[in-house]
Amino acid sequence: MSASSPAGRWSSATLASLLGVQVFQVVLAWSVLTVAGPLATAVVLALGTLPRIAMMSGLTAGLAGRFAAHRLLAVGELGRAALALAAAGALAVSGLDFTGLLLASLLFGLVEAITEPAAGSVPALIADAAGRQRMEALRTTLFRVTVVVGGPLAGLGALLGLSTALIVGGLVFLVSAALFLSLRPRPSDADGTAPAAGHGPAAGMPGPPGADAPKAGEALALPGVRAALICTVLIELGCPGAFGVGTLLLADDRGWGAVGFGVLVGAVGLGTVLAALAPGFARRLRGSGSGSGLILACVLTAAAMAGLAFSPNLPLAAVLTVVMALAAAAASAATLGVLFSGPRPEALGMVMGVVMAAGALAAPLSYVLVGLVARLANPRAAVAACAVALLAAALVALSDRTLRTATAPEPPTGPQAGPPGDPAADASVDGAPVAGAPHAGPPADADAPADATGEPSADGQPGHLSAKGA
């Protein structure tokens, strides 16, 4: 793949965009903390995630079908560049106040919500089927690289000054926009003969409820579902705040600075990458049962959080952050496995819709709660409170017999179906950028649905678990 080819220009644009996002998010978070303190930082970061709810609900997906995907991405990159350069200018001249930082966070999140649905459509516009598969694999690799190295690089850039780092990020976005604009759709796609990517329900995801689908109350009354939903909420209350705000506040409290915060952001990314690249770890959890695997993963996450809260130095904190992110991803995968095991097929769409809504709303609340505890007490107590939420999730799973005894089938044999997963899914500890870390586990592959461990199933269908007990 040459750098001048359409796929080469696309990969360069994608890499530049991902690095620019990491720089902007690290600098924004550190700037808010410097200007307004812990609670205000949590509020700004929480409100910045709200546009993602519109994206998850499909409100912004229509733009990806109305406009050419590569042009929509280019406009989004130009918008991000304008935000970064405007913030850099304000910091250099008079400094940004709380209102300016809040507006920047909201606008940046809005750009992401509008452009992200189009990101998966670009490979289909410029490449054939074989080329698309290679490009998706490359996109996954690029994302995994940037979530690990992007945070530390952003922290090092901040040593030159926050405004300088934002200028660099803005220039990177401009390069990305120019590369996206240089792409030209293949003729077969330009005349509308090829199906557009990114439309319709994702493979393996539940579609709209049918006429015979149970109502939300009936679906939640199914064995194990209510307890699994409570576990999901508790995990989402604990993990995003610890990842996105707790690491920031700890880095400031311990004097590790923006560089230390960037290192911890990279450690979160490394943990999620290891979760995606270590199917053997997930199999071991599954081998001990999804219910017991969920309990073990929650306890391990809580232990790592508690250790992070009282870590005496940055290297140990980074190691504990990796363990925390890895275990949190395993906990989320185990919870999804239990949810797939219990409801009958017509109830699955309703259950997953309720779970997604609960997770999306719990994540911003987690940011605010961590900031509030940090203001009333200290950052160590805030991260320790997140660990308590994970222990509470383990206790809920332990107290519900259906959830506790849910078991997984034998691992499927034969070749796995589908190309590598969407990097946006691998990006987060629950599907969102690692610097913000609003979620707690890798979702299923867009083309090869996942089982409870996040691995594609051999027959291309979602993995189901069998629940023993009540």
Side-chain angles (χ1 to χ4, degrees):
M1 181 185 299
S2 66
S4 60
S5 67
R9 294 197 300 273
W10 168 86
S11 62
S12 299
T14 300
L15 178 61
S17 177
L18 294 172
L19 286 174
V21 169
Q22 290 287 316
V23 171
F24 186 89
Q25 290 179 334
V26 168
V27 174
L28 175 70
W30 195 259
S31 298
V32 180
L33 180 61
T34 303
V35 169
L39 182 58
T41 301
V43 171
V44 168
L45 296 180
L47 292 178
T49 68
L50 293 182
R52 292 187 61 86
I53 298 178
M55 180 180 69
M56 293 173 62
S57 63
L59 295 178
T60 62
L63 291 174
R66 188 178 299 271
F67 302 102
H70 66 294
R71 292 177 182 170
L72 183 60
L73 288 177
V75 171
E77 295 302 286
L78 289 174
R80 286 170 166 171
L83 282 172
L85 294 176
L91 282 174
V93 174
S94 59
L96 278 175
D97 58 8
F98 173 77
T99 303
L101 291 168
L102 175 60
L103 182 61
S105 180
L106 285 172
L107 291 176
F108 199 84
L110 181 61
V111 170
E112 179 190 18
I114 293 174
T115 59
E116 187 61 33
S121 303
V122 176
L125 295 177
I126 64 175
D128 55 17
R132 288 198 298 271
Q133 183 168 347
R134 290 192 297 270
M135 290 171 69
E136 288 298 337
L138 178 60
R139 187 179 183 221
T140 300
T141 301
L142 291 175
F143 199 97
R144 288 170 176 169
V145 169
T146 54
V147 298
V148 174
V149 305
L153 287 177
L156 289 173
L159 290 178
L160 303 175
L162 296 179
S163 59
T164 302
L166 284 173
I167 290 174
V168 172
L171 294 177
V172 168
F173 283 132
L174 289 176
V175 171
S176 178
L179 291 171
F180 277 128
L181 280 175
S182 70
L183 299 177
R184 294 292 180 268
R186 296 171 64 240
S188 59
D189 294 321
D191 60 9
T193 57
H199 294 276
M205 293 301 293
D212 58 345
K215 297 182 179 179
E218 297 172 346
L220 294 178
L222 295 171
V225 171
R226 191 184 302 273
L229 176 61
I230 294 174
C231 286
T232 299
V233 172
L234 289 171
I235 291 171
E236 293 294 342
L237 283 175
C239 292
F243 294 151
V245 180
T247 53
L248 171 65
L249 300 182
L250 285 174
D252 179 59
D253 183 63
R254 300 299 178 85
W256 298 332
V259 175
F261 174 50
V263 169
L264 295 182
V265 170
V268 173
L270 180 58
T272 58
V273 168
L274 291 177
L277 296 179
F281 176 76
R283 282 199 190 99
R284 289 187 182 92
L285 285 182
R286 182 173 63 183
S288 60
S290 280
S292 57
L294 168 62
I295 296 169
L296 290 174
C298 286
V299 171
L300 180 58
T301 306
M305 283 183 182
L308 173 64
F310 299 96
S311 176
N313 54 66
L314 181 58
L316 178 58
V319 172
L320 290 171
T321 302
V322 172
V323 174
M324 179 174 65
L326 174 60
S332 180
T335 307
L336 288 176
V338 173
L339 287 168
F340 273 121
S341 73
R344 56 188 188 274
E346 63 270 20
L348 185 57
M350 179 65 71
V351 170
M352 296 307 295
V354 173
V355 168
M356 290 177 65
L361 294 174
L365 181 60
S366 172
Y367 281 57
V368 176
L369 290 177
V370 169
L372 182 60
V373 174
R375 181 177 181 180
L376 295 177
N378 53 63
R380 296 187 300 277
V383 177
C386 295
V388 172
L390 269 294
L391 286 178
L395 290 175
V396 169
L398 187 63
S399 64
D400 186 278
R401 187 183 177 206
T402 300
L403 185 55
R404 183 179 67 249
T405 59
T407 57
E410 291 298 319
T413 58
Q416 293 181 341
D422 182 2
D426 292 334
S428 61
V429 182
D430 79 10
V434 171
H439 297 293
D445 188 303
D447 295 308
D451 60 17
T453 68
E455 302 171 72
S457 60
D459 59 0
Q461 298 300 319
H464 287 260
L465 305 178
S466 61
K468 297 185 297 183

